[in-house]
Each structure stands twice: as structure tokens, then as C-alpha cells.
Amino acid sequence: MESPYKTFLDERGPLKRALSPASSRRGKGYSEFVNFSSNDALGLSMHPHLMDKAVQWMKKYGMSFSSSRLVTGDVEDIHVLEARLAAFKKSDAALILNSGFQANVSLIPALMDKNALVFSDRLNHASLQLGFQAAQIKQIRYRHLDLDHLASKLEEYKNDKRPKFIVTESVFSMDGDQVDLSRLVALKKEFNAFLYLDEAHSFGVMGKGGAGLSIAYAKEIDLVLSTFGKAAGGFGAFVCCSSVLKEYLINTCAGFIYATALPPQVFGVIEGALDILPNMDEQRLHVQSLARYFREELKAKGFDVRASTTHIVPVVLGDVEKTMQVSEALKESGVWVNAIRPPTVPKESSRLRFSIMASHDKKDIDHILNVLEKFA
């Protein structure tokens, strides 16, 4: 297989090909692999433009803001960046936070308390679960992506005067499936609920201009959380919401109040990503086309890919030992894909989680299919 090093046509244009290496200690040296586990779907983490922007911010502001944004860690350039993010997501306001995990853990206690009625997808991310725990919330859980089940739960509590929250992801990280946002928004309106949408795995690689699936319902979703640490190639997170809610979060969200601001170079990477993301439709189409081909071939060979419809393609093998064996066989062939086991996924659902990147091509997919065929 060809070299797994990242290459770019030029530093001004969008990424065309970026086979991302993953290294592992094997014997006395290191080996390189074609990486199918990274969330860097568009290869932006190695894009020269993002690096240049990081250096510009670092030279202007140093290595650290050295305090919370509410103390001395705030500058006008960050506010300009937040305004740009809000415009990109067609939202009233945006607030940058330090990570998606930290955001969920601290946003939920700021918004909800133990008296709230919180309707939560059973497979919501661990960070959301920890947020619920921190707020002492007893979730009303509905079956994964089963909006009929959610509707029945909402109906059951329709006369309850306590505030209602629906909490879900738009794309789920282990199954690669996606929520029916049109139906979800309709339910939110029907039952007067607050809709909290975690868009970590949608932002950058899906939706118009890479703005995420929520962009089609930007004015109808109460809070959207997105991250820069995946398809945007950087680090950090942000929420889109109303201007009033943003001001409330600035004064109540512990993860914003007490955390040292992100380093200046991280803000530079965010700015660089926003320069490039809207112009990467060709790469997004390539990723989706390749993922679709991979899913169809896997299903034809009898593999369980769950209800994946995105660039995340699981191959559910069930047994832990078999999953580890297949992962090792792929590594021996030059492909890095991690074996995902409980408790990250439910018992008896161990899997290989493939994440398709713009760097990959049909040759890479066919190579994987040839290796997997022995285990069908």
C-alpha cells in the first residue's frame, strides 16, 4: 500500500489526500499504519493553514492566557471568533468552551437540576451521563433513536409542570447512526421541551458547508454543542444558543467560569478551520461515498454494521477475543483500527470502529475487505 504520510496540494487550498499515520510500539521500533480510527475526517489537523494561524495567535498572545476568561483570559479576537461561529451555525450566539467532554459535564448542571424531566437517548455519550450524575438527574431514558418511544414518554409526562429537556446526539460515535432531526424538532415543539443536541461527530463533516446536521434546524434547537477536536482538526468546543442563554451560561457554567482559557494557538487553529471548512464539499462527498461503498460491501459479506449512515462504520463482531483477533490481523496488514469493547459499548457488542477520512480511497477499503473476508 502507498505511504501513509499526509500530503497537501498546497497550503492555501483544501486538503486533497492525507493518509494519517498512527504509530504503535512493535518490537524495537515503530510501525506506521493507514489510520482508520482517527476522527480527523478531513485531515485538517495537519493542514498548514491551521498551523500558520496557530503561530499567528501564539506570537500575538504568547503560549497561554494564564487565567479564566472571566479574569484576564479574554481578548476581543475571541469574541470576533465566537460571532463568526454563531454566523456559521446560523445561531444568535456562540460560546467557546475547553472541550466537548468538559462542556457536557458542566453545561448540564448549569441548565438542569434534579427536579427537571430529562428525556435521554439510552446510548448518549459518557460525558452526558456524567453531567446527569453531577446534576443528580434521574433520566427518563428512551430506546436508542426510537422517537416513538420518546413520544410515548413525553405524552406520559405532558401534564407535568416541571421543565422538560430532550438530550441526544445528532450522530452517535460508536454506531455511526443519526437521529431524525425533523421528527425530534417536531416533538420538542409539541411538548414544549428544551432540545439539547450534541453534534460532536456531525460538525465539519456533515450539513451545509460542514456546519453539522443541526444547520437545517438552526433556529429551532435550543442548544447545540459542537467540537473542534474531530473533523475541525483542532481542540476545544462551543455551544450555539440564544444571546440570553449565552449570558446565563457565562455566569453559571462551572466549566467556563473556573477553567483557564484555551491557549492562544488553539484559538488560531479554530480560526484556520473556519477559513477552510465551508469549501470542503468535495472532501465531504468523497468521505460519504466511500463510507457508503464500505457499508454495502460489508453487509454483502454478512457483517453487522448496525444502522450506520455516516462516515463512522462499525463492524460488530460481538465476542471480545474475536474482535481483538481481527484488529490484530488488520494491524499486521498495515491498517490501524481499534477494537472497541465493554464498557465503552454494551456487552456482546464488541466491534471494530472504522472512521472514514478524506485521505482514504477505494483501494484502502478493498484491502480491508479482503482481510475481513477471512473472518466472515
Side-chain angles (χ1 to χ4, degrees):
M1 302 182 73
E2 55 189 281
S3 169
Y5 286 105
K6 294 177 182 288
T7 58
F8 299 88
L9 285 186
D10 65 64
E11 61 183 339
R12 296 178 305 281
L15 170 70
K16 281 292 183 183
R17 179 153 183 82
L19 284 176
S20 176
S23 295
S24 173
R25 179 69 71 178
R26 298 174 74 85
K28 294 183 178 179
Y30 288 94
S31 296
E32 290 177 346
F33 305 84
V34 180
N35 188 352
F36 272 86
S37 283
S38 174
N39 290 313
D40 187 16
L42 302 174
L44 286 180
S45 69
M46 290 293 288
H47 200 290
H49 181 68
L50 275 65
M51 297 181 194
D52 289 344
K53 284 291 183 180
V55 171
Q56 287 175 26
W57 275 67
M58 185 174 61
K59 286 183 175 179
K60 186 173 182 179
Y61 294 111
M63 293 298 294
S64 173
F65 285 116
S66 303
S67 75
S68 161
R69 283 182 62 187
L70 292 180
V71 184
T72 61
D74 203 24
V75 295
E76 182 60 27
D77 281 341
I78 298 176
H79 292 265
V80 171
L81 201 53
E82 287 177 332
R84 188 175 174 188
L85 282 164
F88 183 48
K89 295 282 284 183
K90 300 189 184 305
S91 176
D92 289 343
L95 180 66
I96 295 175
L97 296 158
N98 284 23
S99 78
F101 191 97
Q102 175 247 39
N104 278 331
V105 170
S106 56
L107 282 168
I108 287 175
L111 290 168
M112 313 167 201
D113 62 26
K114 63 183 178 181
N115 295 313
L117 298 172
V118 180
F119 301 85
S120 171
D121 189 291
R122 287 186 64 85
L123 294 188
N124 273 336
H125 193 265
S127 58
L128 290 164
Q129 304 299 339
L130 287 173
F132 296 142
Q133 289 178 32
Q136 300 180 29
I137 288 167
K138 185 176 180 181
Q139 301 169 57
I140 302 167
R141 299 173 81 190
Y142 60 92
R143 290 186 293 270
H144 178 50
L145 294 183
D146 187 341
L147 298 190
D148 288 335
H149 192 216
L150 170 60
S152 71
K153 292 290 186 181
L154 288 164
E155 181 68 28
E156 184 180 338
Y157 288 91
K158 71 176 181 179
N159 295 321
D160 196 309
K161 301 303 181 185
R162 288 175 289 176
K164 299 177 180 66
F165 294 84
I166 301 171
V167 181
T168 183
E169 300 174 51
S170 63
V171 171
F172 285 78
S173 63
M174 288 297 119
D175 283 28
D177 47 8
Q178 63 190 77
V179 71
D180 179 349
L181 272 181
S182 175
R183 175 90 189 279
L184 192 65
V185 167
L187 286 172
K188 161 244 180 343
K189 290 179 179 177
E190 181 181 352
F191 292 95
N192 192 29
F194 183 104
L195 179 53
Y196 182 119
L197 186 71
D198 183 325
E199 190 128 271
H201 288 277
S202 170
F203 181 68
V205 75
M206 302 183 80
K208 185 178 180 180
L213 291 174
S214 66
I215 194 65
Y217 304 92
K219 298 299 183 183
E220 299 169 285
I221 301 174
D222 300 285
L223 183 144
V224 176
L225 168 68
S226 298
T227 57
F228 302 110
K230 296 177 174 61
F235 188 73
F238 68 103
V239 291
C240 286
C241 56
S242 69
S243 298
V244 171
L245 183 53
K246 175 180 175 175
E247 290 303 313
Y248 172 81
L249 292 173
I250 287 171
N251 290 281
T252 59
C253 179
F256 179 84
I257 296 170
Y258 301 110
T260 298
L262 286 166
Q265 55 269 36
V266 173
F267 287 105
V269 170
I270 293 168
E271 183 181 15
L274 286 176
D275 291 340
I276 292 173
L277 273 177
N279 302 314
M280 298 192 78
D281 285 345
E282 182 183 342
Q283 286 75 26
R284 283 185 280 272
L285 287 171
H286 172 68
V287 167
Q288 296 301 335
S289 175
L290 207 58
R292 185 165 52 250
Y293 170 73
F294 191 29
R295 285 193 301 270
E296 290 170 355
E297 292 297 311
L298 285 167
K299 286 189 280 190
K301 294 180 186 301
F303 287 104
D304 178 4
V305 299
R306 293 297 158 101
S308 169
T309 55
T310 68
H311 58 293
I312 298 168
V313 182
V315 175
V316 180
L317 299 168
D319 180 72
V320 172
E321 287 187 14
K322 182 177 181 181
T323 305
M324 294 296 294
Q325 180 187 6
V326 179
S327 177
E328 285 303 312
L330 284 163
K331 287 173 186 175
E332 289 297 325
S333 79
V335 173
W336 186 277
V337 60
N338 288 90
I340 310 295
R341 297 156 286 169
T344 304
V345 292
K347 291 179 180 178
E348 308 302 324
S349 72
S350 292
R351 67 197 63 189
L352 302 175
R353 176 194 180 272
F354 291 88
S355 185
I356 307 301
M357 297 168 62
S359 58
H360 301 142
D361 57 28
K362 186 173 178 292
K363 245 189 341 182
D364 299 322
I365 299 297
D366 287 339
H367 172 77
I368 291 169
L369 291 167
N370 287 335
V371 175
L372 290 178
E373 199 160 25
K374 305 165 192 173
F375 300 93

